[in-house]
Amino acid sequence: MYDRRSFIGAGAAGALALALAPRIAFAKAETDKRFVFIIQRGAADGMGIVAPVGDPAFAAARGTLAEDFAGAARLDGMFALHPAMTTLRGLYGQRQALFAHAVASPYRDRSHFDGQNVLESGGTSAYQEKDGWLNRLLGVLPPTQAKAIAVSATVPLALRGQYDVSSYAPSNLPQASDDLLQRVAMLYQGDSQLHALWSEAMNTRALTGDLAAGGGANAAATGALAAKLLAPANGARIAMIETGGWDTHTGQRQRLGVQLKGLDAMIGALQTGLGPLWSDTMVLVATEFGRTVAVNGTGGTDHGTGSSAMLLGGAVRGGRVLADWPGLSPAALFEGRDLKPTLQLDAFIGGAVAGHFGVEPARAMAALFPASRGTAAVSGLV
């Protein structure tokens, strides 16, 4: 799915199908569907994750970074997945993983802070929106299902807004004894507000078992923790997981391999922890922007533009790479240095959410990305 003409033709056909299909209202019914957003903070190198090995310019343009893909099994005629991602390779074979390439938010100026603000707020420029698109998604779901949690010490921007959300992160402090916790509960017994907050915190603690005792330092533990928070019938339906370390200015080949191995383990633990619920789960993985095509003098790459994104889970129409591939020849690069974006990340997210939760695509875009007027959601992802 990497030929420009076939991509545009498929898009037109999809738009026609949407126009002729019955209108789908906002999600009204109760749902067991789960949605997880994993953010890659630091600008992940999309070409180092899903490599366009079929592009004639790839090997020369990427230098030593192309060596990880020598002999790698291809996803299709154009792309190969980084060999560290064995779990995702299996999901792709089961048609539970979809990769989008040459994708970017509307942001173009290569600042981490501003780029992450645009990615999380769903605006077309930095600080345009005050709340996050993931919080606005809660307004689309039935009230009893509009429950979200951030697997982080604080609530990220994507989840901030008018709808209440929770956050949870394992503490590195020594575990409090059961006796101390009981005494605090007794202390709060007479305060209706504090008692309710304390009870919710204790319920969350009970769900996480002994993961907190291990510090939650590794990626697999984080994935297992997220699954425990999402699995209960009265648990969260939406979760956001923060990951960092994707800013690979130096020594990218080794560093990116470690990062991807961790991400792969996180997703594997999430799948295992959710068990049969995985079939109704969608996981989105995205970053604020990509990295330069060329390798710099320290074996890394610098801030770029186009990158890749992922949809994973039993609810995904996977086993494919969605790309209107622009090419890596010097004339094809954005501003002479970056992968040129040909797919809007907003449209990709909007289409994924609309399909997953049964929401009319146009109304999903208006709710999640109000500044992206006229942008059509990508269809056929679920």
Side-chain angles (χ1 to χ4, degrees):
M1 297 187 67
Y2 45 84
D3 176 77
R4 179 180 296 270
R5 183 175 298 171
S6 63
F7 179 92
I8 294 173
L16 178 60
L18 282 175
L20 297 176
R23 290 172 61 86
I24 303 173
F26 268 98
K28 300 292 185 183
E30 298 293 317
T31 176
D32 282 329
K33 294 183 182 295
R34 270 75 171 172
F35 182 80
V36 182
F37 174 33
I38 301 176
I39 186 171
Q40 298 170 294
R41 296 196 187 279
D45 181 25
M47 286 187 294
I49 301 171
V50 181
V53 293
D55 189 309
F58 172 71
R62 297 294 277 176
T64 57
L65 298 183
E67 294 176 13
D68 282 327
F69 299 92
R74 296 193 182 193
L75 298 173
D76 59 17
M78 173 67 80
F79 298 101
L81 186 65
H82 193 284
M85 308 197 80
T86 55
T87 297
L88 266 67
R89 187 67 178 86
L91 290 175
Y92 187 86
Q94 298 167 35
R95 299 187 181 278
Q96 295 183 14
L98 181 151
F99 302 99
H101 222 318
V103 62
S105 80
Y107 181 73
R108 294 290 178 272
D109 290 333
R110 306 186 184 97
S111 161
H112 289 306
F113 300 107
D114 292 354
Q116 289 174 27
N117 181 276
V118 172
L119 170 61
E120 294 187 74
S121 69
T124 56
S125 60
Y127 312 104
Q128 179 183 36
E129 303 290 338
K130 304 304 180 185
D131 55 357
W133 67 264
L134 201 52
N135 187 280
R136 294 194 290 272
L137 173 59
L138 298 178
V140 174
L141 302 180
T144 56
Q145 302 292 294
K147 188 174 182 181
I149 191 163
V151 185
S152 62
T154 59
V155 177
L157 173 60
L159 272 174
R160 295 181 205 161
Q162 70 178 97
Y163 300 100
D164 292 335
V165 301
S166 304
S167 66
Y168 182 86
S171 173
N172 291 322
L173 297 174
Q175 281 283 78
S177 67
D178 290 339
D179 179 67
L180 175 59
L181 295 176
Q182 185 176 5
R183 289 174 182 271
V184 174
M186 292 174 62
L187 181 65
Y188 289 161
Q189 192 72 42
D191 189 309
S192 59
Q193 183 176 8
L194 290 177
H195 179 67
L197 292 172
W198 180 258
S199 296
E200 181 179 355
M202 290 302 96
N203 289 338
T204 300
R205 180 178 183 270
L207 291 174
T208 62
D210 61 356
L211 280 174
N218 61 75
T222 302
L225 169 61
K228 285 193 174 187
L229 296 168
L230 288 164
N234 63 345
R237 289 294 182 271
I238 293 171
M240 179 173 173
I241 302 174
E242 295 186 285
T243 67
W246 299 97
D247 196 16
T248 51
H249 284 287
T250 62
Q252 174 172 308
R253 190 176 175 190
Q254 180 180 0
R255 291 175 59 193
L256 185 61
V258 172
Q259 288 286 110
L260 294 176
K261 185 176 181 180
L263 178 62
D264 193 71
M266 177 186 292
I267 292 165
L270 182 63
Q271 179 188 15
T272 299
L274 287 173
L277 294 173
W278 179 256
S279 63
D280 283 326
T281 297
M282 176 182 285
V283 181
L284 165 71
V285 184
T287 192
E288 66 261 33
F289 47 75
R291 308 196 70 82
T292 52
V293 172
V295 184
N296 63 27
T298 59
T301 53
D302 299 316
H303 298 177
T305 307
S307 189
S308 63
M310 314 175 196
L311 288 179
L312 314 164
V316 176
R317 283 181 55 195
R320 56 203 174 113
V321 180
L322 185 67
D324 178 13
W325 189 246
L328 297 179
S329 66
L333 301 183
F334 179 73
E335 296 186 350
R337 49 172 276 166
D338 301 341
L339 177 63
K340 181 180 179 180
T342 57
L343 178 62
Q344 296 186 59
L345 184 57
D346 292 359
F348 182 68
I349 296 173
V353 168
H356 189 52
F357 289 110
V359 180
E360 182 185 20
R363 297 190 68 188
M365 289 296 297
L368 273 58
F369 306 106
S372 298
R373 294 181 178 86
T375 299
V378 176
S379 62
L381 303 177
V382 180

